[in-house]
Amino acid sequence: MSTSERRRILRLVQEGKLSVEEAMDQLQHIEENDDSLDTWFLSNGEDHKKKEQDGSRKERLSSFLNQAIQKVKDIEHEVTKYEKISHVFLLEEAPIDEIHVDVTYGSVEIRPWDEPYAQVRCEATVYRADNPEEAKKTFLKETECNVHKGMLRLATQPKLIKVKAVLHVPSQSYEVIRGKLVNGSFFGEHLVANKLQVKTGNGKLTMQHCQAEQIEAEAANGTIHCKQIIADRLDAETLNGKITCEGEIRSFDVQSFNGNLLILPRSAKTEAIYAKASTGSIECQLPSGTVVTGDCETNFGTVNVSLPNTRSVREKEDWLSKRFRLQHEEGLPPTVHLFAQTKTGTITIKSASVSSS
């Protein structure tokens, strides 16, 4: 979809000619990793509580689109002139307890290594720069990268600098790893922390082989992919995109306004699964022998439960909604409590092998 087409959709919403839902149906076709400077989707509002009502979610989506419309108005920069530069920040050896990354435009990767110090490699595109020297000077002036009081911080705010940053950090356990992007993707691998929190306005979030007490992944427009995760709690939420969560996780909280959900517990430690979608389908593949209790609800979709120790009992069905209660065989204590709800999609609960797909 071209930049002019995106602007047309946003302006139609502003003029009241398109509803939020109709706009999202068109915006979902935008490529996940569009590098156009005009694809600015802001998600810098106040943190929201999980499991909020659908009306509140629509308000958030409407606010998100309104911010995007305003950004189209405000950012009419000339981007035909730019310079590309590279820079490596070699940080002195010092204790690091937390990692904080705040990037407006670009992408971030965090990878542990065996060195006792951190290194940040940046490839930057600096717009409106007349020459490489000016671009390098602007980048260094507007970028903060240091270790202070146990915190490694990388921050670049100007909207006319696009940064691809790769952080090599000591292989250890951290108290907090936090990443925030307005427009860009995040990739984290083999990260260990008490709390791992990543948020983007527009982009893909990927975490694999990560371990934490609590993991939070939030995107306004983008997919979320969590693979081979070990966590006590995993919260993943996007307004527009598919979510895949797989690993040894005690509690799942997975929500998408417009996208499918795939939940893959890989051990008997899982105790709770909360999955909610508005227009997407929900699929849970549970380890063999899992005994489930809970509820499945859908407005216009179907519910398919295929578990040897669990049966679904229809509690309500009319032309607007269907509700099924999951009941386990007598004498078998339940191991997982599950709640799955979608408006238009299908809910599938079935057994799967414990090995990773």
Side-chain angles (χ1 to χ4, degrees), residues 118-137:
Q119 179 188 91
V120 180
R121 305 182 66 90
C122 295
E123 302 290 335
T125 301
V126 183
Y127 295 92
R128 287 185 171 178
D130 292 324
N131 52 63
E133 291 75 19
E134 181 185 346
K136 189 69 167 279
K137 182 179 179 180

Side-chain angles (χ1 to χ4, degrees), residues 18-206:
L18 270 183
S19 68
V20 169
E21 291 81 0
E22 291 169 335
M24 284 303 300
D25 287 341
Q26 297 188 42
L27 287 172
Q28 68 180 324
H29 298 297
I30 298 174
E31 294 180 358
E32 294 175 3
N33 296 313
D34 191 351
D35 286 334
S36 169
L37 185 62
D38 292 304
T39 56
W40 290 93
F41 292 91
L42 298 184
S43 184
N44 290 328
E46 297 181 355
D47 291 338
H48 53 275
K49 296 180 180 179
K50 298 293 182 181
K51 302 181 182 65
E52 57 190 317
Q53 298 299 317
D54 287 343
S56 177
R57 289 181 176 277
K58 290 182 179 179
E59 290 176 5
R60 287 177 50 222
L61 179 57
S62 178
S63 175
F64 156 70
L65 285 173
N66 288 334
Q67 291 180 54
I69 292 168
Q70 189 61 44
K71 184 57 64 174
V72 170
K73 286 183 175 181
D74 293 343
I75 300 181
E76 296 292 345
H77 296 299
E78 176 189 357
V79 295
T80 57
K81 182 170 60 177
Y82 62 87
E83 293 287 343
K84 292 188 176 183
I85 58 100
S86 62
H87 186 79
V88 178
F89 294 94
L90 293 174
L91 304 177
E92 63 182 24
E93 184 176 338
I96 301 175
D97 299 318
E98 299 185 7
I99 299 173
H100 290 227
V101 180
D102 190 350
V103 172
T104 297
Y105 181 36
S107 65
V108 173
E109 295 184 21
I110 303 180
R111 298 177 180 272
W113 66 352
D114 294 330
E115 301 295 340
Y117 58 90
Q119 179 188 91
V120 180
R121 305 182 66 90
C122 295
E123 302 290 335
T125 301
V126 183
Y127 295 92
R128 287 185 171 178
D130 292 324
N131 52 63
E133 291 75 19
E134 181 185 346
K136 189 69 167 279
K137 182 179 179 180
T138 299
F139 171 74
L140 292 177
K141 178 182 178 182
E142 302 294 349
T143 300
E144 177 186 355
C145 185
N146 55 52
V147 177
H148 181 64
K149 294 184 178 180
M151 178 191 296
L152 189 163
R153 175 170 169 78
L154 171 66
T156 174
Q157 291 296 324
K159 301 171 181 62
L160 291 181
I161 298 179
K162 177 183 177 182
V163 181
K164 179 181 179 181
V166 180
L167 288 74
H168 295 284
V169 299
S171 181
Q172 64 177 57
S173 177
Y174 295 91
E175 184 64 28
V176 176
I177 298 177
R178 179 174 291 117
K180 184 174 74 171
L181 301 96
V182 174
N183 186 37
S185 61
F186 175 89
F187 178 87
E189 185 175 36
H190 297 292
L191 302 178
V192 180
N194 183 45
K195 185 173 184 179
L196 176 55
Q197 184 180 49
V198 183
K199 181 177 182 179
T200 183
N202 180 51
K204 181 178 181 179
L205 302 182
T206 303

Side-chain angles (χ1 to χ4, degrees), residues 310-344:
T310 305
R311 67 181 187 275
S312 60
V313 179
R314 184 175 300 168
E315 288 196 334
K316 175 184 177 182
E317 180 172 7
D318 53 40
W319 70 281
L320 281 178
S321 65
K322 308 180 189 74
R323 184 193 308 145
F324 293 81
R325 172 62 54 89
L326 303 180
Q327 296 183 348
H328 55 88
E329 295 181 2
E330 293 186 8
L332 294 175
T335 58
V336 175
H337 181 79
L338 182 148
F339 176 81
Q341 182 186 71
T342 179
K343 292 183 182 297
T344 62

